[in-house]
């Protein structure tokens, strides 16, 4: 579950800068991993802590026991988050709670500050120190590619000999890393979602990147404009480099409109030949024309394009963004190359599961919105597409005209399967569609069998759902595992597949 166990209580702890929260009555809304870390850090800073969560599970009761031992009050069960208790001076919100949640709406109306766990971590790690003395944070946001990019950046920094904390939306809370007793980090690499940025207002990052912007999470944000504004806030107060996507002009406009620290630079990345102050691609090489003295006339080789795996165009863009952040921190060019060579990405990202009967089966369960599905689908032709799940308020009307001529067929499942079918009927009416109405996780076995009926030699069956997974699965990883298991069962567990897929993916 992350964080401390009962046996850890009493162990030496690092010093936090507690003045922002000492003595305040703080409500932590949500007892997930970030909520647990936030409560732990608040107690370390001598705040008065109340934790609430509507879910009274065994795991939450376990965490509640630890927090009560440390001095927190914990309320579990239905209705725990229904209202704002009297006397609360600060709320730390779980990223899963929408601003319209009654507790958060009440705090907003009462003028009670609402922070993310990210904001709390920044406040207690940095408040009394001038920026040059703080442990630097390099941060990444964007609709797609965040996790891959921070993993690449961390690998590059590690290759240069830095002690790196890989934290944020990637899985480990920042506060949890701050409370580590056995290491002092040189740099934090932070993945930030729009949810986390929504309630973060004072970050002063060393460097930050917005990878791209496409409609997503419109069930959480009031509008696409609000979603974009939350993403753009990552650039505010940046001290060194604002990294943007040359091929996604909205990210450049975000940099132009940001109130950055004097001297901060705009650094572009592109799959084409880079201009000055950019990183890009020349003759199958990743090159840097931003962090070299001769950037007006020359470029520095960082790595070969072939050293980026998987070698899809959008992943090469991720590598360039990661390199820009790492280079902004001063790593040598060799560390970019060595980091890419050493990196082992998590599963479910354009991962070939198996080949059999001339058909290639590819798992890109990480493609949880239409824009991510598009980047995956454009890498293959022809395709039998497995899609569906929770659409999160997004539309497939922009995706399908781009990929319709690649589709051999489509298999749809999940709660918003009809939304995808309607879009297919508008933009690809001749493509055969099979709809799986089974709402249980076993539907994936039916989907694989249906895809096999549609696919022929030379085709790729691609799981790129364009939707979130939680309507049927506990995570996109569980969905990808179900796909891989169903494929192998369908092929008799004896396909011609790559050896790295013989073991379950770790995610």
């Amino acid at each position: 579950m992350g964080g401390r166990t009962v046996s850890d209580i009493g162990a030496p702890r690092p010093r936090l800068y507690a003045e922002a929260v000492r003595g305040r009555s703080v409500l932590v809304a949500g007892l997930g991993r970030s909520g647990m870390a936030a409560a732990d850090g608040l107690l370390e800073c001598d705040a008065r802590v109340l934790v609430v969560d509507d879910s009274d599970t065994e795991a939450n009761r376990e965490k509640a026991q630890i927090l009560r031992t440390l001095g927190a009050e914990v309320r579990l069960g239905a209705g725990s988050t229904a209202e704002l208790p009297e006397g609360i001076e600060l709320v730390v919100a779980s990223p899963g709670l929408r601003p319209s949640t009654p507790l958060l709406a009440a705090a907003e109306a009462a003028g009670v500050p609402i922070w993310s766990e990210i904001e709390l971590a920044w406040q207690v790690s940095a408040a009394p120190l001038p920026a040059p003395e703080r442990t630097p944070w390099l941060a990444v946001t964007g609709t797609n590619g965040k996790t891959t990019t921070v993993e690449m950046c961390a690998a590059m920094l590690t290759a240069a000999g830095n002690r790196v904390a890989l934290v944020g939306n990637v899985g480990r809370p920042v506060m949890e890393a701050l409370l580590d007793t056995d290491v002092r980090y040189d740099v934090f690499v932070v993945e930030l979602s729009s949810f986390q940025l929504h309630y973060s207002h004072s970050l002063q990052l060393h460097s930050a990147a917005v990878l791209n912007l496409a409609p997503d999470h419109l069930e959480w944000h009031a509008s696409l404009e609000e979603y974009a504004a939350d993403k753009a806030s990552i650039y505010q107060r940046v001290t060194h480099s604002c990294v943007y996507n040359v091929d996604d002009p909205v990210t450049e406009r975000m940099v132009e409109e940001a109130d950055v620290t004097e001297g901060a630079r705009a650094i572009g990345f592109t799959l084409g030949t880079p201009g000055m102050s950019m990183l890009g691609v020349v003759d199958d090489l990743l090159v840097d024309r931003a962090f070299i003295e001769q950037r007006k006339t020359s470029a520095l080789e960082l790595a070969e394009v072939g050293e980026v795996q998987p070698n899809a165009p959008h992943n090469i863009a991720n590598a360039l963004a990661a390199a820009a952040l790492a280079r902004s921190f001063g790593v040598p060019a060799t560390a970019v190359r060595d980091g890419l060579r050493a990196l082992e990405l998590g599963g479910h990202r354009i991962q070939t599961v198996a080949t059999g009967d001339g058909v290639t089966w590819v798992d890109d369960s990480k493609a949880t919105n239409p824009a991510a599905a598009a980047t995956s689908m454009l890498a293959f032709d022809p395709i039998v597409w497995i899609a569906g799940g929770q659409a999160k308020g997004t539309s497939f009307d922009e995706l399908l005209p781009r990929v319709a001529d690649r589709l051999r067929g489509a298999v749809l499942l999940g709660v918003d399967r009809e939304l995808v079918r309607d879009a297919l009927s508008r933009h690809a009416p001749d493509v055969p569609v099979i709809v799986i109405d089974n709402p249980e996780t076993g539907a994936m076995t039916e989907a694989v069998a249906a895809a096999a009926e549609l696919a022929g030699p030379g085709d790729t069956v691609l799981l790129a759902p364009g939707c979130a997974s939680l309507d049927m699965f506990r995570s996109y990883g569980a969905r990808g595992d179900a796909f891989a298991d169903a494929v192998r069962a369908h092929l008799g567990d004896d396909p011609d597949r790559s050896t790295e897929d013989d073991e379950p993916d770790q995610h």
Side-chain angles (χ1 to χ4, degrees), residues 100 117 147 155 177 231 252 299 365 393 494 501-502:
S100 59
E117 177 264 332
T147 300
K231 292 291 191 187
E252 185 173 13
S365 185
D494 189 28
D501 292 317
D502 287 340

Side-chain angles (χ1 to χ4, degrees), residues 4 27 85-86 95 97 108 116 118 139 155 199 260 295 302 342 358 367 379 394 407 409 457 469 471 484 500:
R4 288 199 274 181
L27 184 145
E86 292 186 9
L97 295 178
E108 187 79 27
S116 65
I118 302 293
Y199 289 122
V260 301
R295 57 182 174 269
L302 300 175
T394 60
L407 293 176
S469 60
D471 58 327
E500 66 265 26

Side-chain angles (χ1 to χ4, degrees), residues 125-165:
S125 68
L129 295 176
E133 298 178 29
R134 300 172 184 165
T135 302
W137 290 22
L138 309 177
V140 176
T141 195
T143 303
N144 296 307
K146 297 183 293 297
T147 300
T148 297
T149 302
V150 294
E151 290 176 349
M152 287 175 165
C153 183
M156 295 169 189
L157 291 159
T158 300
N162 295 288
R163 290 160 296 185
V164 183

Side-chain angles (χ1 to χ4, degrees), residues 466-500:
C467 294
S469 60
L470 297 180
D471 58 327
M472 297 174 66
F473 302 91
R474 69 178 183 275
S475 66
Y476 72 81
R479 178 171 61 190
D481 287 342
F483 172 74
D485 290 344
V487 169
R488 291 167 186 160
H490 171 75
L491 294 174
D493 206 29
D494 189 28
D496 175 19
R497 65 177 185 265
S498 55
T499 56
E500 66 265 26

Side-chain angles (χ1 to χ4, degrees), residues 243-248 267-282 285-287 313 316-318 320-321 324:
V243 178
Y244 67 93
N245 184 347
V246 175
D247 302 317
D248 193 343
I267 305 295
F269 65 91
T270 175
L271 292 175
T273 302
M276 191 170 62
S277 293
M278 295 180 188
L279 283 73
V281 178
V282 176
L285 299 173
L286 307 187
V287 300
I316 297 168
N318 294 337
L320 290 164

